[in-house]
Structure formats: C-alpha cells, structure tokens
Amino acid sequence: MLFNRYKNLHLIQQLDPVIAHCQIYSIMIGYDFSWEMTRALEVALMRTYCVPSISKLLDKTGEFYQHSQKRYDDTGIIIGEIGKWGYDSDRGKEAMQRMNAIHGRFKINNADFLYVLSTFIYDPIRWNASFGWRLMCEQEKLAAFYFWREVGKRMHIQNIPETYAEFERYNRDYEQANFRYSDTNRRVGEATRNLFLSWFPGWMSFALKPLVYALLDDVMLDAFGFEHPSPFLRSLLANILKIRARLLRYFPPRNQPYYFIDHAIRSYPDGYKIANVGPAENSKI
C-alpha cells in the first residue's frame, strides 16, 4: 500500500519537467494534491488582492460583490480545464481564448500580470512545504514553473523570467514593493472572505472568520486591514493541517481524478460551456 501511495511520485521522478510539465502538473492537481492545490490557490488569489492596483480594478468591475461565487467558479473552471487537459488541447485552447477575451476588456499592467502568474506557481509550493502529505519533488516544482510560464506566453505576458529562481525572486520583490493597505483591498478581501464563509451554515461564521484570518500571513492581514488572529489559533490550525497531512500518508492512492471541474459547481448546476464562463459581455467594467 505504501509503495502504491507513492506511485505517482515514482512516475514523475522519471519524467523531464521541461518536456512533460503538462503531464506532471495534471497529476499534481488531479490526483496527488487536489485538495491542497485548491486551498493554496484560494490563498494565492487573496494575495493578489493585497495590491492596490489589482484590487482597484476588481473593485471597479463590481463582480466581487454581485457575483462572488460565480467569479470563484469561473476562475476554477478556467484553471481546471487548462490543468486537466493541457493548454494546447482543444479544451485548453478554448479556455485560454476565453480567459484572454475576459482580460482583454481591461487595461492590466504587465507587472501585475506577471505577479499573479507567479502566485500560481509559488503559493502551492509553499503550502505544500508546510502542509503537504508528502513534499513536492524537484520535478514537480519545475513542472509548475514551466507549465505556468507557457500559459503566461499564451496570455501574451511580457518579460516572464527564464528560470524558477528568477521568477521566485520577482514574486518576493514585487510583494515587498507593492503590498500595502487600501480601501479597495479591504472591500475585495471582505467579499472573498464572506464567500468562503457562505459555504458553511450561518451560525458558524463567527467561529470561522478568525480561521480564515489564520490562513493569511501578517503582511496580507495588514494589507487588508484585517485583525490578527491569536498565536494560539494560528498554531492550532497549522497543527490540524499537519495532522491531516500525516494521516493521508497511510491512505491508498487516488484512482479517480478529482479536478475542480470533476465535481458539482455551484454556479453551474446543469453544467457549463467554456464560451459562457466569465462575466457577461454587457457587464459593468
């Protein structure tokens, strides 16, 4: 059983992350780290809202307040389609085209685009280092870099760093230079927090709100203007996630994929068409 638990790791370690990054990334998000990658990407997206130039645009559209669940689902669908099928598959290309059409309606700074792209690489890797049931191997880390680098090229993002280390340095330097409080950060952050809380019974909100804050680091909390959770609560949540990770080591490997698009999606109970994902063409900009 334990050998089989690591069968995907053994396969990945035999692959070249430059050539096989789509295959490796698909295994990561659909099999070995499905739940972890989703949670990490949720935090990654919240990190981007700590940048006033990004939150200002999101605040202006009104999408976060009027259709917060749909915006979350639309993002998950685009990532899920590209991650599961690959960016050069028919469905992957359609998802890329839809994403570019949505982004094309806005004037987005290239530096901001680069930063958002970088969070999709490094935030899941950092989450894994703290709470993964096993550590990602070097091939998986590099595969994430090469995968999102190719996605970035197809998004027409300019000046994407050539190496994993260089892009990670950009990620750190950008945050240091651009993370600061703004009212739009707070409004977008509160809307996202409220979305997470809406997934649970209303009576649980009072207890769960501090747990959301405990998932965010101090720099993020300051950029949102959120209260800091107690050190005890931070430690408690971290320990729960670490215990979960240890227990998962003894579970059998996942034999059926569990991509975001493989389960029921709240905004699309009857299914979706990629062409209809995202805000309506006549929505406020």
Side-chain angles (χ1 to χ4, degrees), residues 42 45-46 49 58 61-77 187-199 260 265-268 278-279:
E42 288 168 354
L45 286 172
M46 286 204 74
Y49 311 153
L58 297 172
T61 68
E63 285 290 312
F64 268 83
Y65 317 119
Q66 300 170 23
H67 311 290
S68 56
Q69 182 64 60
K70 187 174 184 300
R71 194 187 186 285
Y72 173 91
D73 291 337
D74 290 341
T75 302
I77 288 170
R187 287 196 293 270
V188 174
E190 287 176 341
T192 307
R193 176 204 65 199
N194 293 341
L195 169 64
F196 296 158
L197 295 176
S198 73
W199 299 340
F260 181 86
I265 298 175
R266 290 179 174 87
S267 302
Y268 301 92

Side-chain angles (χ1 to χ4, degrees), residues 3-240:
F3 175 80
N4 287 336
R5 186 71 172 109
Y6 294 89
K7 66 177 183 179
N8 287 329
L9 173 62
H10 297 152
L11 169 62
I12 288 169
Q13 288 176 325
Q14 299 175 49
L15 298 174
D16 183 337
V18 178
I19 299 171
H21 54 263
C22 283
Q23 179 183 356
I24 295 171
Y25 194 75
S26 182
I27 293 171
M28 291 166 64
I29 68 170
Y31 288 88
D32 275 15
F33 303 118
S34 300
W35 186 88
E36 292 87 345
M37 294 286 276
T38 300
R39 301 289 82 76
L41 288 173
E42 288 168 354
V43 175
L45 286 172
M46 286 204 74
R47 292 192 78 82
T48 68
Y49 311 153
C50 296
V51 181
S53 60
I54 295 175
S55 67
K56 181 180 179 180
L57 175 61
L58 297 172
D59 181 68
K60 182 180 178 181
T61 68
E63 285 290 312
F64 268 83
Y65 317 119
Q66 300 170 23
H67 311 290
S68 56
Q69 182 64 60
K70 187 174 184 300
R71 194 187 186 285
Y72 173 91
D73 291 337
D74 290 341
T75 302
I77 288 170
I78 295 291
I79 295 172
E81 291 285 351
I82 297 170
K84 181 174 183 177
W85 304 112
Y87 46 75
D88 279 341
S89 67
D90 289 343
R91 292 189 68 87
K93 287 179 180 178
E94 188 178 0
M96 289 293 310
Q97 290 168 0
R98 184 59 186 147
M99 178 169 60
N100 287 338
I102 294 168
H103 288 158
R105 301 167 62 194
F106 305 91
K107 186 176 181 180
I108 303 174
N109 184 284
N110 189 72
D112 292 346
F113 254 143
L114 266 177
Y115 172 65
V116 174
L117 187 71
S118 74
T119 64
F120 280 51
I121 301 169
Y122 300 105
D123 277 75
I125 290 171
R126 291 164 189 160
W127 178 287
N128 172 264
S130 297
F131 308 122
W133 67 267
R134 68 165 175 81
L135 291 178
M136 291 180 182
C137 65
E138 193 68 14
Q139 287 90 338
E140 288 169 315
K141 296 176 184 179
L142 290 175
F145 165 74
Y146 288 116
F147 178 87
W148 285 107
R149 191 169 187 273
E150 290 301 319
V151 170
K153 290 179 181 179
R154 287 157 178 78
M155 294 173 65
H156 312 296
I157 299 176
Q158 305 299 308
N159 304 317
I160 303 175
E162 295 285 340
T163 68
Y164 178 99
E166 185 183 358
F167 206 6
E168 184 175 27
R169 187 162 54 250
Y170 176 89
N171 172 273
R172 295 294 195 188
D173 291 346
Y174 179 98
E175 289 187 357
Q176 186 172 9
N178 292 281
F179 272 31
R180 63 181 182 277
Y181 174 80
S182 77
D183 290 340
T184 56
N185 289 4
R186 185 176 185 95
R187 287 196 293 270
V188 174
E190 287 176 341
T192 307
R193 176 204 65 199
N194 293 341
L195 169 64
F196 296 158
L197 295 176
S198 73
W199 299 340
F200 303 91
W203 59 268
M204 297 179 66
S205 293
F206 179 79
L208 290 176
K209 186 186 295 186
L211 288 176
V212 174
Y213 295 157
L215 284 172
L216 312 180
D217 61 40
D218 289 345
V219 177
M220 293 178 68
L221 293 169
D222 290 341
F224 285 127
F226 290 164
E227 62 189 80
H228 288 225
S230 69
F232 171 78
L233 185 61
R234 273 198 193 281
S235 177
L236 176 64
L237 180 58
N239 286 331
I240 290 172

